[in-house]
């Protein structure tokens, strides 16, 4: 197997980007852990062209919606372009010099370390950092400051997998690769809405299933997600009962003698204890515990038992639990007992959520690991690393994991924190606590690409970092594949690479060992550390980049995607691990882990009777600082929502389309109620993305409970007891405007980026009483002072309906639609008018109706973001042309023909249309 | 009387020959639109029932008074607005006394007597004397150059004035006043409209539409004196100016009084028929004297009097049927609609557009396109409409008003027109 050599980019990219704007650069997508290859072509006058990299083995040229829209996210709106210091007197951020900013960070860290010791400072970093950034951050903290207080937002997403892998295999190893998904005959997706969160991998599986219909997909998820549309079997288990289910499977496999006894005997330990913890096989009991139909459960157990080639994928639904590590091990137990590991088409497979969660793990970016898969609690490991680094110190005990770290900040034990590339006020559980913690710190430093974030509101120092397309380094995806992220845009303003900022601060703190001139030098040190004494006589570990050591800039730049370990120069990498059945525990055996089931930490009660589950939506990413800039992505789901069962909604006194407050013992948020997400009774789903920058009160992190897994420290985002109640407003509305509106007296708002306009969904409590109140409010909102402005309005005062449109030179400038009921017209058509230079007469007549009169039809909310195909268009085509499959919809409307991530929705629409047809016949 | 009536019906069915009994005699007082439409309706049902005699004050055949405005504006000629020529009267055997008003009714003897001394016996009498313009009795109102706008004579006076004079003042900013103003302006005069209220057409428009209308007309060069109280018409031998309560004067060579009309009931009153504001009729348009019917602007039906053409057409149908002996129809008052006959101004109002307690409004404003629409709803039904600038759905709204259609399901689209609403599955 040979890897293509990729054209040079990186260091010269900024220069070449400006000199020759049409050179395309191969890089890696900055979103999920799939790590797709991207070809980016900068353009002089417009956003860069983005295409999938056909040579990249993760995606072979395909991109999901988010990846396809990357070009829309690299604009400089909202970017932090200069270092800033918060003025102690007025609290305002003032631009300052790098010298001043770096000096402030270095000096304050030094002073606090001198006064209170190294554990009084911390770094809180991110899976968005490149491996080289991560490496120097970890080196500074653990080897020079001498504390392990460096943790990462990866703690919140996959640390349970790390812990589970370590317990089972003796090292954090993902043995499988993406091809195994295609080789498998059974793919079990546990706690993973793969269709939305890892769309390209899902598409690979779906494509293979089309070729080999015998490939069976089972989804285990409390929700009926888009992923379930493609599944052969969906087990809607009760939240938090994954361990019961897999314990049941382990017992079933043992009872029915479908184990690989020879493998278990020769290569594992701990089976008896693990089996004992399952309490024997009792289908009815397990079905009851999991609240699954016993027939379905049995069908799954039989399917698993008789299918040799099984890949079990797990993601945040497994990890984000107080029993997350046990869940991982209960899954791995089932692969060990059947010997289905280390062979093509089988194995346990953790999908990571971030572009470089894996890279962070490799450099030891977690508070409880050291570096290069070495362990903090092993003196020999510490000695190896310290010697290699020749560092003055080495952390001796694990540092504070994310939730504990923020608790320590609130308690005053940690006095300074440097946050890099993450937004903990939004992403941590108990978000109000995160605010209190940051408010308590003497120094909060934030390296970021965006100036205004919920977290940066608490920062004393803002350091402008490089964003995707500007930065340069490596990332590792979910299958251990190291890929280069290459720059194709010049550094904007005064922004600098994270590794450079970290090294500058380290040097100013007086530390040697940070004199890197180029990012490839850091990679080389990282690779050498991984190979250092990594052999039979030393401390052998699977993570080994010996074959990638010694690369000069040119070779580093040309590095093609490769899976570690890479043992020798010229090796093609290692697609699959454990083929030799050798595990990384001292005895060379894999371990079964006994996983007695445990209920989630916080149970529902009368006050908080519903279970909150959180997660992603298809077209947004994390806290929306990047994906929120894309109008194309906003077209899918623009507003935060509370998905719940209609009966639960009824019991809570809320209806679909109305606003509701979700509260827990920790906090609350407000969003719009919806059904249709296939929620079971008693459960509620809210997406994680919306925050104070884009919405009035939509941070679900503020509601999530801070209970963590005792082993991994990962918070239990998927299970918080909550109550839902109606959020009373007197009116609902929306505003579309070319410039930001002035929204006074608005109780609820969400900002949604559009093409040439911004949309605000709004609601308020003010009573409009006077005859001109609505008009005055609307004119103020749209900043219209001229009494002779071209102002159209529609009013149904007793129904509380007011609509106004402001037109300038026959071009729509803004509009406001208000109503007492959430019965506002669709936004799609009005939004489309902002792209028009001149409204024609037909447009104008429809303005106040919010839809075209006479010609044209409302296309409905966007389903296919790639081709901008709306729901109504699709349903009409299905109805009128009798379309029966998603492929027919695609050939008819193109929808689903690019990234395919809307194909599950297309299928659902086909079914819904059919049901509607039958019920009207 | 009843017997005679029945006999008349029986005889009308038999063939007319030399032995035919004497036909009943119908006398019509008033040769205007209401009277003649009633005769037409009657002739449709019973062409041979009556010998008909018509007296009219004006020396013409019957003409469409509503179209006097286009005549004044020069858009139509008098010939164009004639409804029934003298030939028509002759062809239908109707004896017409044009230019000879009736001066007395002897109900006991069933005779009417004209100014010229013609006497006519009747078995049935139809009074359609219409209304008279209200001339505000300010000092100077009798000066030459002060006229009303009611008939062809007035139009001719105005056209003559427009040839010789410059400044016209219209007193009364209602429908008729604005049409007169528009006509005179088209004839080259400089026109000022004086209105006692502060909004034009306040009986047909709401304030918003009135403002739009005023702006449109001002843009055409018309001037307005609103909330203005005329205290004197000034001039030694012909009108020279109009003076207001605040002492200001504006030049005037012609003053047209369009400050409303009064039902013309002097004759009926003198004959002892029961009158209040007008001749009181029942649902069959019969007065308190069973032989006497009345239609048009001179009647009062269930407390209402009338000034627009639509209800008068309805009255004519009912009265015609009863005169024909096919007396099953009842006159029911319905909503009325108004259109202003001023070129370049699209204006439509119908029903109870003022609104009030218990009513709801739907309003749409697009000033740049000169569009204003307002519907008044009550109990999910449209009861009134004011349309300005875009009147194409006026008829549809009028139907909704007339039919008392429940519009609950259409409400949010209603103001956007018939095409849209009918495309929606209601």
């Amino acid at each position: 197997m040979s890897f293509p050599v990729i054209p040079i980019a990186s260091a010269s990219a900024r220069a070449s980007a400006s000199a020759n704007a049409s050179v395309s650069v191969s890089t890696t997508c900055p979103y999920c852990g799939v790590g797709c290859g991207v070809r980016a072509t900068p353009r002089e006058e417009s956003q860069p062209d983005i295409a999938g990299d056909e040579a990249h083995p993760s995606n072979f040229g395909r991109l999901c919606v988010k990846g396809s829209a990357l070009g829309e996210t690299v604009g400089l709106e909202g970017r932090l372009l200069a270092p800033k210091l918060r003025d102690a007197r007025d609290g305002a951020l003032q631009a300052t010099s790098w010298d001043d900013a770096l000096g402030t960070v270095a000096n304050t860290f030094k002073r606090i370390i001198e006064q209170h010791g190294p554990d009084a400072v911390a770094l809180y970093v991110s899976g968005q950092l490149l491996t080289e950034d991560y490496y120097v951050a970890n080196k500074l903290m653990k080897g020079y400051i001498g504390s392990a207080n460096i943790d990462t937002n990866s703690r919140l997403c996959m640390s349970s997998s790390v812990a589970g892998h370590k317990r089972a295999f003796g090292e954090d190893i993902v043995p499988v690769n993406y091809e195994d998904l295609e080789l498998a005959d059974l793919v079990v997706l546990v706690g993973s809405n793969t269709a939305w969160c890892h769309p390209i991998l899902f598409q690979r599986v779906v494509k293979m299933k089309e070729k080999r219909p015998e490939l069976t997909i089972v989804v285990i998820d409390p929700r009926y997600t888009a992923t379930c549309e493609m599944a052969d079997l969906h087990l809607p288990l009760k939240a938090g009962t994954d361990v019961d289910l897999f314990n049941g499977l382990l017992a079933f496999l043992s009872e029915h003698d479908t184990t690989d006894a020879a493998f278990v005997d020769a290569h594992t330990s701990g089976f008896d204890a693990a089996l004992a913890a399952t309490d024997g096989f009792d289908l009815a009991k397990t079905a009851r515990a999991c609240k699954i139909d016993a027939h379905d459960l049995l069908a799954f157990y039989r399917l698993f038992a008789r299918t040799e080639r099984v890949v079990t994928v797990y993601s945040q639904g497994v990890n984000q639990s107080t029993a997350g590590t046990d869940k991982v091990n209960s899954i791995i137990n089932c692969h060990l007992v059947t010997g289905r590991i280390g062979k093509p088409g089988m194995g346990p497979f953790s999908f990571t959520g971030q572009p470089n969660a894996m890279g962070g793990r490799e450099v030891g970016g977690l508070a409880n690991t050291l570096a290069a898969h070495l362990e903090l609690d092993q003196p020999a490991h510490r000695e190896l690393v310290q010697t290699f680094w020749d560092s003055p110190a080495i952390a001796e005990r694990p540092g504070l994991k994310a939730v504990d770290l923020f608790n320590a900040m609130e308690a005053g034990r940690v006095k300074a924190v440097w946050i890099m590339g993450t937004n903990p006020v939004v992403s941590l559980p108990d978000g109000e606590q995160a605010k209190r913690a940051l408010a308590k710190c003497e120094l909060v430093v934030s390296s970021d690409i965006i100036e205004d974030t919920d977290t940066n509101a608490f920062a004393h120092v803002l350091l402008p970092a490089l964003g995707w397309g500007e930065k340069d380094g490596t990332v590792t995806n979910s299958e251990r594949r190291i890929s280069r992220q290459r720059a194709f845009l010049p550094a904007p303003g005064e922004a600098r690479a994270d590794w450079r900022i970290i090294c500058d601060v380290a040097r100013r703190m007086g530390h040697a060992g940070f004199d890197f001139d180029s990012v490839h030098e850091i990679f080389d040190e990282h690779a050498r550390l991984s190979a250092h004494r990594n052999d039979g006589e030393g401390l052998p570990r699977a993570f080994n980049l010996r074959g990638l050591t010694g690369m000069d800039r040119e070779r580093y730049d040309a590095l093609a995607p490769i899976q570690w370990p890479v043992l020798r120069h010229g090796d093609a990498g290692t697609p699959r691990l454990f083929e030799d059945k050798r595990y990384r525990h001292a005895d060379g055996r894999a371990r079964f882990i006994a996983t007695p089931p445990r209920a989630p930490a916080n149970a529902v009660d009368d006050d908080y009777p519903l279970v909150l589950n959180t997660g992603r939506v298809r077209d947004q990413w994390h806290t929306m600082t990047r994906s929120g800039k894309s109008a194309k992505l906003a077209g899918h789901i623009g507003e935060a929502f509370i998905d719940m069962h209609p009966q639960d909604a009824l019991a809570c006194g809320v209806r679909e389309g109305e606003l509701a407050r979700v509260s827990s013992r920790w906090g609350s948020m407000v969003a719009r109620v919806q059904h249709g997400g296939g929620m079971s009774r008693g459960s509620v789903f809210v997406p994680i993305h919306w925050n104070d920058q884009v919405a009035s009160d939509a941070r679900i992190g503020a509601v999530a409970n801070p209970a963590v897994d005792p082993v991994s420290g990962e918070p239990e985002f998927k299970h918080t007891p909550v109550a839902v109640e109606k959020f009373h407003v007197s009116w609902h509305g929306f505003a579309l405007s070319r410039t930001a509106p002035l929204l006074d007296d608005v109780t609820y708002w969400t900002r949604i980026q559009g093409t040439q306009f911004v949309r605000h969904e709004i609601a308020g409590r003010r009573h409009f009483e006077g005859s001109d109140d609505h008009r005055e409010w609307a004119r103020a909102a749209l900043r219209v002072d001229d009494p002779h402005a071209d102002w159209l309005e529609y009013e149904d005062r007793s129904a509380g309906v007011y609509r106004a449109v402001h037109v300038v030179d026959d071009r729509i400038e803004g509009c406001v639609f208000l109503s007492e009921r959430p019965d506002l017209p669709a936004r799609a058509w009005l939004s489309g008018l902002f792209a028009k230079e001149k409204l024609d007469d037909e447009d104008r007549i429809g303005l106040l109706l919010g839809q075209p009169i006479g010609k044209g039809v409302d296309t409905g909310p966007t389903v296919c973001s790639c081709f901008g195909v709306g729901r109504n268009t699709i349903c009409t085509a299905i109805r009128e042309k009798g379309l029966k499959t998603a492929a027919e919809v695609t050939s008819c409307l193109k929808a689903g023909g690019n990234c395919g991530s809307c194909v599950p929705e297309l299928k659902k629409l086909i079914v819904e249309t059919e049901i509607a047809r039958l019920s009207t016949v | 009387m009843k017997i005679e009536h029945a006999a008349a019906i029986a005889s009308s069915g038999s063939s007319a020959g030399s032995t035919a009994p004497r036909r009943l005699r119908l006398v019509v007082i008033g040769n205007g639109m209401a009277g003649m439409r009633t005769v037409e309706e009657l002739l449709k049902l019973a062409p041979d029932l009556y010998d008909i005699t018509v007296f009219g004050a004006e020396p013409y055949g019957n003409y469409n008074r509503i179209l006097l405005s286009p005549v004044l504006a020069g858009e139509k000629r008098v010939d164009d607005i004639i409804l029934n020529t003298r030939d028509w009267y002759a062809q239908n055997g109707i004896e017409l006394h044009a230019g000879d008003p009736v001066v007395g009714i002897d109900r006991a003897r069933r005779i009417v007597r004209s100014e010229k001394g013609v006497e006519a016996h009747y078995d049935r009498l139809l009074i359609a004397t219409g209304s008279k313009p209200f001339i505000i009795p300010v000092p100077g109102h009798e000066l030459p150059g002060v006229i009303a706008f009611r008939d062809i004579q007035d139009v001719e006076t105005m056209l003559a004035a427009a040839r010789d004079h410059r400044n016209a003042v219209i007193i009364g900013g209602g429908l008729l006043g604005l049409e007169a103003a528009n006509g005179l302006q088209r004839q080259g005069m400089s026109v000022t409209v004086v209105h006692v209220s502060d909004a034009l057409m306040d009986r047909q428009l709401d304030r918003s539409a009135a403002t739009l209308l005023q702006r449109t007309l001002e843009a055409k060069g018309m001037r307005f004196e609103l909330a203005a109280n005329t205290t004197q018409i000034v001039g030694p031998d012909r009108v020279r100016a109009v003076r207001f309560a605040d002492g200001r004067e504006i030049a005037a060579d012609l003053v047209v009084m369009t400050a409303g009309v009064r039902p013309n009931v002097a004759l009926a009153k003198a004959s002892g028929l029961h009158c209040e504001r007008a001749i009181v009729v029942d649902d069959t348009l019969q007065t308190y004297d069973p032989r006497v019917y009345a239609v048009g602007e001179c009647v009062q039906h269930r407390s209402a009097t009338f000034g627009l053409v639509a209800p008068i057409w309805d009255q004519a149908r009912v009265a015609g049927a009863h005169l024909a002996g096919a007396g099953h129809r009842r006159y029911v008052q319905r909503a009325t609609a108004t259109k202003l006959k001023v070129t370049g101004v699209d204006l439509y109002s119908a029903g109870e557009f003022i609104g009030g307690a218990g009513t709801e409004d739907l309003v749409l404003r697009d000033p740049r396109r000169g569009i204003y629409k307002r519907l008044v709803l009550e109990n999910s039904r449209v009861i009134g409409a004011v349309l300005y600038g875009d009147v194409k759905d006026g008829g549809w709204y009028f139907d909704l008003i007339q039919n008392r259609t429940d519009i609950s399901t259409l409400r949010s689209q209603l103001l956007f027109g018939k095409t849209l609403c009918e495309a929606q599955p209601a």
Side-chain angles (χ1 to χ4, degrees), chain A residues 775 790-791 793-796 798 844, chain B residues 360 362-363 365-368 411 420:
Chain A
R775 180 181 306 118
D790 189 357
W791 182 263
E793 63 187 356
Y794 170 85
E795 198 170 13
D796 180 351
S798 47
R844 184 157 178 130
Chain B
E360 303 176 286
L362 305 181
V363 185
R365 296 185 185 88
D366 182 352
R368 180 60 51 92
R411 180 169 176 144
L420 178 78

mmCIF file of all heavy atoms in Angstrom, chain A residues 775 790-791 793-796 798 844, chain B residues 360 362-363 365-368 411 420:
data_model
loop_
_atom_site.group_PDB
_atom_site.id
_atom_site.type_symbol
_atom_site.label_atom_id
_atom_site.label_comp_id
_atom_site.label_asym_id
_atom_site.label_seq_id
_atom_site.Cartn_x
_atom_site.Cartn_y
_atom_site.Cartn_z
ATOM 1 N N ARG A 775 -46.064 49.537 15.704
ATOM 2 C CA ARG A 775 -45.304 50.212 14.656
ATOM 3 C C ARG A 775 -44.056 50.858 15.233
ATOM 4 O O ARG A 775 -42.963 50.708 14.698
ATOM 5 C CB ARG A 775 -46.165 51.262 13.965
ATOM 6 C CG ARG A 775 -45.398 51.987 12.862
ATOM 7 C CD ARG A 775 -46.229 53.051 12.166
ATOM 8 N NE ARG A 775 -47.479 52.481 11.679
ATOM 9 C CZ ARG A 775 -48.670 52.872 12.090
ATOM 10 N NH1 ARG A 775 -48.785 53.825 12.993
ATOM 11 N NH2 ARG A 775 -49.751 52.319 11.608
ATOM 12 N N ASP A 790 -40.121 53.651 2.996
ATOM 13 C CA ASP A 790 -41.008 52.717 2.313
ATOM 14 C C ASP A 790 -41.318 51.576 3.299
ATOM 15 O O ASP A 790 -40.540 50.654 3.455
ATOM 16 C CB ASP A 790 -40.304 52.197 1.053
ATOM 17 C CG ASP A 790 -41.244 51.400 0.177
ATOM 18 O OD1 ASP A 790 -42.408 51.196 0.569
ATOM 19 O OD2 ASP A 790 -40.794 50.981 -0.901
ATOM 20 N N TRP A 791 -42.420 51.709 3.954
ATOM 21 C CA TRP A 791 -42.754 50.857 5.104
ATOM 22 C C TRP A 791 -44.115 50.219 4.861
ATOM 23 O O TRP A 791 -45.131 50.909 4.806
ATOM 24 C CB TRP A 791 -42.794 51.738 6.357
ATOM 25 C CG TRP A 791 -43.086 51.035 7.640
ATOM 26 C CD1 TRP A 791 -44.290 50.920 8.258
ATOM 27 C CD2 TRP A 791 -42.152 50.370 8.490
ATOM 28 N NE1 TRP A 791 -44.171 50.233 9.434
ATOM 29 C CE2 TRP A 791 -42.874 49.871 9.602
ATOM 30 C CE3 TRP A 791 -40.772 50.128 8.415
ATOM 31 C CZ2 TRP A 791 -42.253 49.150 10.628
ATOM 32 C CZ3 TRP A 791 -40.161 49.421 9.437
ATOM 33 C CH2 TRP A 791 -40.902 48.946 10.525
ATOM 34 N N GLU A 793 -47.092 47.585 6.054
ATOM 35 C CA GLU A 793 -47.492 46.908 7.280
ATOM 36 C C GLU A 793 -48.845 46.241 7.154
ATOM 37 O O GLU A 793 -49.683 46.623 6.335
ATOM 38 C CB GLU A 793 -47.459 47.857 8.481
ATOM 39 C CG GLU A 793 -48.421 49.021 8.377
ATOM 40 C CD GLU A 793 -48.219 50.010 9.525
ATOM 41 O OE1 GLU A 793 -47.416 49.768 10.425
ATOM 42 O OE2 GLU A 793 -48.900 51.051 9.489
ATOM 43 N N TYR A 794 -49.010 45.228 7.967
ATOM 44 C CA TYR A 794 -50.257 44.485 8.046
ATOM 45 C C TYR A 794 -50.578 44.326 9.518
ATOM 46 O O TYR A 794 -49.684 44.052 10.323
ATOM 47 C CB TYR A 794 -50.101 43.105 7.404
ATOM 48 C CG TYR A 794 -51.269 42.172 7.658
ATOM 49 C CD1 TYR A 794 -52.406 42.214 6.847
ATOM 50 C CD2 TYR A 794 -51.234 41.247 8.704
ATOM 51 C CE1 TYR A 794 -53.478 41.361 7.084
ATOM 52 C CE2 TYR A 794 -52.304 40.396 8.940
ATOM 53 C CZ TYR A 794 -53.420 40.450 8.123
ATOM 54 O OH TYR A 794 -54.488 39.612 8.357
ATOM 55 N N GLU A 795 -51.844 44.510 9.848
ATOM 56 C CA GLU A 795 -52.185 44.503 11.258
ATOM 57 C C GLU A 795 -53.523 43.804 11.464
ATOM 58 O O GLU A 795 -54.488 44.066 10.738
ATOM 59 C CB GLU A 795 -52.277 45.948 11.739
ATOM 60 C CG GLU A 795 -52.211 46.090 13.222
ATOM 61 C CD GLU A 795 -52.069 47.563 13.626
ATOM 62 O OE1 GLU A 795 -52.267 48.453 12.772
ATOM 63 O OE2 GLU A 795 -51.798 47.804 14.794
ATOM 64 N N ASP A 796 -53.541 42.877 12.402
ATOM 65 C CA ASP A 796 -54.795 42.267 12.850
ATOM 66 C C ASP A 796 -54.720 42.405 14.359
ATOM 67 O O ASP A 796 -54.279 41.505 15.056
ATOM 68 C CB ASP A 796 -54.856 40.795 12.399
ATOM 69 C CG ASP A 796 -56.146 40.114 12.841
ATOM 70 O OD1 ASP A 796 -56.894 40.720 13.638
ATOM 71 O OD2 ASP A 796 -56.392 38.979 12.394
ATOM 72 N N SER A 798 -56.619 42.665 17.008
ATOM 73 C CA SER A 798 -57.266 41.850 18.044
ATOM 74 C C SER A 798 -56.654 40.457 18.090
ATOM 75 O O SER A 798 -56.712 39.782 19.113
ATOM 76 C CB SER A 798 -58.774 41.788 17.823
ATOM 77 O OG SER A 798 -59.069 41.497 16.490
ATOM 78 N N ARG A 844 -43.408 41.975 -4.065
ATOM 79 C CA ARG A 844 -43.877 43.017 -3.156
ATOM 80 C C ARG A 844 -45.274 42.695 -2.632
ATOM 81 O O ARG A 844 -45.583 42.919 -1.470
ATOM 82 C CB ARG A 844 -43.865 44.374 -3.872
ATOM 83 C CG ARG A 844 -44.243 45.478 -2.934
ATOM 84 C CD ARG A 844 -43.732 46.822 -3.386
ATOM 85 N NE ARG A 844 -44.204 47.803 -2.432
ATOM 86 C CZ ARG A 844 -43.444 48.705 -1.847
ATOM 87 N NH1 ARG A 844 -42.171 48.773 -2.138
ATOM 88 N NH2 ARG A 844 -43.954 49.552 -0.976
ATOM 89 N N GLU B 360 -63.487 43.855 14.875
ATOM 90 C CA GLU B 360 -62.046 43.704 14.774
ATOM 91 C C GLU B 360 -61.611 44.213 13.410
ATOM 92 O O GLU B 360 -62.368 44.156 12.456
ATOM 93 C CB GLU B 360 -61.658 42.226 14.879
ATOM 94 C CG GLU B 360 -62.151 41.574 16.158
ATOM 95 C CD GLU B 360 -61.843 40.090 16.174
ATOM 96 O OE1 GLU B 360 -62.504 39.336 15.452
ATOM 97 O OE2 GLU B 360 -60.917 39.704 16.886
ATOM 98 N N LEU B 362 -58.722 44.233 10.244
ATOM 99 C CA LEU B 362 -57.520 43.780 9.537
ATOM 100 C C LEU B 362 -57.075 44.957 8.684
ATOM 101 O O LEU B 362 -57.880 45.506 7.943
ATOM 102 C CB LEU B 362 -57.819 42.589 8.628
ATOM 103 C CG LEU B 362 -58.472 41.354 9.241
ATOM 104 C CD1 LEU B 362 -58.664 40.289 8.164
ATOM 105 C CD2 LEU B 362 -57.606 40.798 10.357
ATOM 106 N N VAL B 363 -55.810 45.312 8.790
ATOM 107 C CA VAL B 363 -55.343 46.497 8.073
ATOM 108 C C VAL B 363 -54.057 46.177 7.325
ATOM 109 O O VAL B 363 -53.175 45.498 7.852
ATOM 110 C CB VAL B 363 -55.052 47.665 9.046
ATOM 111 C CG1 VAL B 363 -54.689 48.915 8.269
ATOM 112 C CG2 VAL B 363 -56.249 47.930 9.940
ATOM 113 N N ARG B 365 -51.117 48.276 4.934
ATOM 114 C CA ARG B 365 -50.696 49.576 4.409
ATOM 115 C C ARG B 365 -49.425 49.415 3.587
ATOM 116 O O ARG B 365 -48.462 48.818 4.037
ATOM 117 C CB ARG B 365 -50.386 50.550 5.548
ATOM 118 C CG ARG B 365 -51.566 50.904 6.411
ATOM 119 C CD ARG B 365 -51.174 51.983 7.428
ATOM 120 N NE ARG B 365 -52.277 52.247 8.336
ATOM 121 C CZ ARG B 365 -52.481 51.566 9.463
ATOM 122 N NH1 ARG B 365 -51.642 50.623 9.829
ATOM 123 N NH2 ARG B 365 -53.514 51.846 10.233
ATOM 124 N N ASP B 366 -49.472 49.938 2.398
ATOM 125 C CA ASP B 366 -48.270 50.002 1.563
ATOM 126 C C ASP B 366 -48.276 51.374 0.902
ATOM 127 O O ASP B 366 -48.668 51.534 -0.239
ATOM 128 C CB ASP B 366 -48.301 48.872 0.515
ATOM 129 C CG ASP B 366 -47.046 48.858 -0.348
ATOM 130 O OD1 ASP B 366 -46.227 49.797 -0.239
ATOM 131 O OD2 ASP B 366 -46.898 47.908 -1.141
ATOM 132 N N PRO B 367 -47.877 52.394 1.646
ATOM 133 C CA PRO B 367 -48.016 53.769 1.148
ATOM 134 C C PRO B 367 -47.263 54.000 -0.156
ATOM 135 O O PRO B 367 -47.718 54.748 -1.005
ATOM 136 C CB PRO B 367 -47.424 54.630 2.266
ATOM 137 C CG PRO B 367 -47.308 53.733 3.444
ATOM 138 C CD PRO B 367 -47.261 52.330 2.971
ATOM 139 N N ARG B 368 -46.109 53.333 -0.318
ATOM 140 C CA ARG B 368 -45.340 53.581 -1.527
ATOM 141 C C ARG B 368 -46.128 53.186 -2.779
ATOM 142 O O ARG B 368 -46.095 53.852 -3.792
ATOM 143 C CB ARG B 368 -43.998 52.819 -1.441
ATOM 144 C CG ARG B 368 -43.095 52.979 -2.635
ATOM 145 C CD ARG B 368 -42.696 54.440 -2.874
ATOM 146 N NE ARG B 368 -42.174 55.099 -1.699
ATOM 147 C CZ ARG B 368 -40.896 55.153 -1.375
ATOM 148 N NH1 ARG B 368 -40.006 54.612 -2.152
ATOM 149 N NH2 ARG B 368 -40.506 55.769 -0.276
ATOM 150 N N ARG B 411 -58.942 33.918 7.777
ATOM 151 C CA ARG B 411 -58.607 35.207 8.375
ATOM 152 C C ARG B 411 -57.197 35.692 8.039
ATOM 153 O O ARG B 411 -57.004 36.833 7.648
ATOM 154 C CB ARG B 411 -58.779 35.117 9.886
ATOM 155 C CG ARG B 411 -58.452 36.411 10.600
ATOM 156 C CD ARG B 411 -58.905 36.342 12.032
ATOM 157 N NE ARG B 411 -58.529 37.532 12.751
ATOM 158 C CZ ARG B 411 -59.278 38.083 13.687
ATOM 159 N NH1 ARG B 411 -60.429 37.554 14.010
ATOM 160 N NH2 ARG B 411 -58.862 39.155 14.324
ATOM 161 N N LEU B 420 -55.646 34.133 -3.591
ATOM 162 C CA LEU B 420 -54.897 33.375 -2.596
ATOM 163 C C LEU B 420 -55.827 32.528 -1.746
ATOM 164 O O LEU B 420 -55.596 31.340 -1.537
ATOM 165 C CB LEU B 420 -54.119 34.339 -1.705
ATOM 166 C CG LEU B 420 -53.348 33.637 -0.597
ATOM 167 C CD1 LEU B 420 -52.089 33.034 -1.146
ATOM 168 C CD2 LEU B 420 -53.033 34.592 0.535
#
